[in-house]
C-alpha cells in the first residue's frame, strides 16, 4: 500500500520528553514538518545508535521547523527508565511516543503483529499532516540521519517550489530541475 499524501491519523498518546511525561496528539503535529521515527524496542542494540544519531541532528531539524517523534510499542514509563539507565538515551530532547496498543504503528504499516514491535520506519509528514516520504527497514538494519535530513530538505523545497524537482543526492543550494519538454531524453 502506498502512503504518499495519506493524511495523518487522529491520535493522542503518552510520551516521555526530556525528563517529563507529556501527551502528544495530531493537533501537536500539524503546522510544522514532522518526522515519525519508529524503532523495535527500548533497551535494545541498534535502536540507541539510531536515536542518538537523530539527537545529533535534532538542533538542525528544529531550525528546519521540524519536530522528531520517536515511536516504539514501549510505554512512556519504559522510555523514562531507558533514559535514566542509558547515557545515549538520557541526552535525547525530542518526544518519545508510547504506542503500546500499536495504533500508530498499525496506521503507518510498520507493526509486526507477531512480535508486537515496529519495523524501522521513518516518515516525513508535512505541516498539513500528509506523508511526503517514507522508508521501512527490517529490524536489524539501522538508518542514517544525514540522509533523512536531506530528504526533509528536499521535501520542503518541493513543497515550496512545486515547479522544480530535486535530482539524486541534491542538497540545499544545489541546482534543481524544472521539468519541461525540452529536457526529455537530455538528462
Amino acid at each position: 500500500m502506498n502512503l504518499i499524501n495519506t493524511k495523518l491519523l487522529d491520535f493522542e498518546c503518552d510520551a516521555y520528553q526530556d525528563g517529563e511525561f507529556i501527551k502528544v496528539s495530531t493537533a501537536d503535529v500539524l503546522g510544522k514538518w514532522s518526522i515519525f521515527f519508529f524503532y523495535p524496542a527500548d533497551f535494545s542494540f541498534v535502536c540507541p545508535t539510531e536515536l542518538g544519531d537523530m539527537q545529533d541532528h535534532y538542533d538542525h531539524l528544529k531550525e528546519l521547523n521540524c519536530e522528531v517523534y520517536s515511536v516504539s510499542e514501549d510505554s512512556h514509563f519504559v522510555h523514562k527508565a531507558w533514559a535514566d539507565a542509558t547515557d545515549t538515551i538520557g541526552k535525547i530532547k525530542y518526544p518519545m511516543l508510547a504506542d503500546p496498543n500499536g495504533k500508530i504503528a498499525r496506521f503507518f504499516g510498520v507493526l509486526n503483529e507477531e512480535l508486537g514491535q515496529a519495523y524501522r520506519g521513518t516518515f516525513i509528514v508535512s505541516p498539513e499532516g500528509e506523508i511526503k516520504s517514507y522508508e521501512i527497514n527490517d529490524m536489524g538494519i539501522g538508518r542514517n540521519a544525514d540522509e533523512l535530513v536531506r530528504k526533509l530538505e528536499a521535501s520542503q523545497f518541493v513543497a515550496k517550489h512545486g515547479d522544480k524537482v530535486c535530482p539524486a543526492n541534491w542538497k540545499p543550494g544545489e541546482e534543481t530541475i524544472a521539468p519541461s519538454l525540452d529536457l526529455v531524453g537530455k538528462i
Side-chain angles (χ1 to χ4, degrees):
M1 172 171 102
N2 182 3
L3 295 175
I4 296 297
N5 294 321
T6 299
K7 281 280 201 185
L8 189 60
L9 81 158
D10 189 30
F11 76 93
E12 180 177 88
C13 68
D14 292 316
Y16 174 76
Q17 183 179 19
D18 199 21
E20 302 287 333
F21 290 137
I22 62 171
K23 295 275 189 189
V24 175
S25 70
T26 306
D28 298 313
V29 174
L30 299 177
K32 62 184 167 299
W33 288 86
S34 300
I35 293 172
F36 284 80
F37 196 78
F38 290 86
Y39 62 97
D42 292 359
F43 292 99
S44 58
F45 310 101
V46 175
C47 300
T49 67
E50 290 187 313
L51 272 67
D53 190 26
M54 286 297 292
Q55 179 58 45
D56 291 344
H57 291 79
Y58 188 53
D59 288 341
H60 182 58
L61 289 164
K62 296 290 280 183
E63 290 169 5
L64 295 171
N65 191 35
C66 181
E67 183 58 84
V68 174
Y69 300 98
S70 66
V71 189
S72 78
E73 305 322 291
D74 299 288
S75 73
H76 56 304
F77 300 114
V78 176
H79 292 333
K80 181 193 183 313
W82 196 24
D84 289 347
T86 309
D87 289 342
T88 300
I89 304 306
K91 295 175 186 173
I92 291 175
K93 301 296 182 195
Y94 51 81
M96 300 176 72
L97 306 188
D99 186 35
N101 64 9
K103 178 181 178 181
I104 302 169
R106 240 180 239 101
F107 167 80
F108 282 99
V110 296
L111 184 63
N112 179 318
E113 297 279 353
E114 187 175 312
L115 295 176
Q117 295 180 333
Y119 290 105
R120 296 183 192 285
T122 310
F123 298 82
I124 296 172
V125 178
S126 73
E128 297 76 31
E130 295 178 348
I131 298 170
K132 294 299 177 181
S133 177
Y134 67 97
E135 172 182 44
I136 302 171
N137 294 348
D138 201 353
M139 305 281 186
I141 302 168
R143 294 159 284 184
N144 180 323
D146 286 327
E147 174 58 9
L148 180 57
V149 170
R150 189 198 72 77
K151 286 180 188 179
L152 172 66
E153 291 169 330
S155 297
Q156 291 176 332
F157 181 90
V158 169
K160 186 174 181 179
H161 308 281
D163 61 333
K164 295 181 181 163
V165 294
C166 301
N169 301 313
W170 175 88
K171 291 185 179 155
E174 294 180 353
E175 194 170 323
T176 57
I177 298 170
S180 72
L181 183 61
D182 296 338
L183 290 179
V184 175
K186 305 245 168 71
I187 296 178

